[in-house]
Amino acid sequence: MRKRVAITGLGCISPLGYGVSRSWENLIQGVSGVGRITHFDASDFKVQIAAEVKEFDGAQLFGSREARRMDRFTQFAVAAAQMAVSDAGLVITEMNGDQVGVVIGTGIGGLGTLFEQMQVFSERGPSRVSPFLVPMMLPDTAAGMIAIYLGARGPNMAVITACATGTNAVGEAAEIIRRGKAKAVLAGGSEAVIVPIAIAGMSVMGALSSHNEEPQRASRPFDKQRD
């Protein structure tokens, strides 16, 4: 008989709200998380709207020094993982840490950090690039940081499959448990790509709506005026 795997805890950082209950409540009420971009000046962009996470302060959660060493996508992942562990009532200890894995995916990783440091490189030269650039931009840093924060020493990996990433991560986690390689796995996806280069790239390929005048109604795939 196929071994059953259950999801026992949830964690969520989203444009609809901080935490699972608030995100879910806004979702079922039809609230949109889309609005004018505030993370950077998008006045010269064709697309000036996005679904931003606004109720999140990494420095408050992790301390200023630690937050500066984590890209925003990693901060989201660690915060959501802490929520999920708490929600599940899972206590990770020295005794069971080897049996707790982490599978956290991302489409691209620390793009915000990469973009920022490319500007530093261009304006100030190679010697001024941050020594944390590489570890902050790597796609598997989120999984690694969750393991460090929570003491999960089991299988650890990142799944990178574009928009399917989060779902694939949950599937891989389930298979790890079925194979008997872990008893529990923290799984999901994280992204933080509302940065100029990403919005520009997605815009010119026609993947984003430019209904800037109606941000909350811009996503309308079955409308005659869809774009």
Side-chain angles (χ1 to χ4, degrees):
M1 189 172 77
R2 196 177 191 212
K3 186 174 183 179
R4 296 183 67 192
V5 177
I7 295 174
T8 59
L10 301 172
C12 179
I13 308 291
S14 90
L16 290 180
Y18 187 88
V20 174
S21 59
R22 187 164 184 189
S23 293
W24 179 249
E25 184 64 29
N26 282 330
L27 180 67
I28 61 176
Q29 288 184 10
V31 175
S32 172
V34 181
R36 285 279 186 175
I37 292 174
T38 63
H39 288 356
F40 64 90
D41 182 3
S43 56
D44 290 336
F45 286 65
K46 179 182 178 182
V47 174
Q48 300 173 2
I49 58 176
E52 298 177 331
V53 170
K54 294 179 179 177
E55 299 176 8
F56 183 85
D57 186 346
Q60 186 177 36
L61 277 176
F62 308 112
S64 325
R65 183 178 179 185
E66 193 67 14
R68 284 197 301 271
R69 297 179 178 182
M70 285 193 283
D71 187 87
R72 192 168 167 85
F73 98 99
T74 298
Q75 294 178 20
F76 288 163
V78 175
Q82 291 173 328
M83 289 181 190
V85 167
S86 176
D87 188 43
L90 174 63
V91 179
I92 303 174
T93 66
E94 282 292 321
M95 297 294 291
N96 67 10
D98 292 342
Q99 289 296 313
V100 180
V102 183
V103 181
I104 300 293
T106 180
I108 198 167
L111 184 61
T113 296
L114 179 58
F115 178 70
E116 176 187 88
Q117 291 303 310
M118 281 297 296
Q119 290 178 300
V120 171
F121 176 88
S122 177
E123 295 168 7
R124 303 171 65 189
S127 64
R128 302 312 297 266
V129 169
S130 170
F132 296 103
L133 165 61
V134 174
M136 286 175 67
M137 65 175 270
L138 288 175
D140 64 347
T141 295
M145 290 302 292
I146 288 171
I148 291 170
Y149 264 80
L150 299 177
R153 300 189 304 270
N156 190 292
M157 63 185 289
V159 175
I160 305 168
T161 49
C163 296
T165 290
T167 302
N168 282 355
V170 173
E172 288 302 312
E175 291 304 315
I176 289 172
I177 294 172
R178 286 197 180 100
R179 291 197 301 269
K181 297 301 182 181
K183 291 186 177 178
V185 180
L186 288 154
S190 180
E191 212 76 70
V193 290
I194 302 179
V195 295
I197 192 66
I199 298 298
M202 295 289 281
S203 176
V204 296
M205 70 183 285
L208 301 177
S209 171
S210 58
H211 282 301
N212 299 314
E213 69 285 353
E214 295 182 290
Q216 297 187 345
R217 299 182 66 239
S219 179
R220 45 193 184 198
F222 305 109
D223 190 275
K224 190 166 117 174
Q225 302 302 320
R226 67 188 181 275
D227 66 343

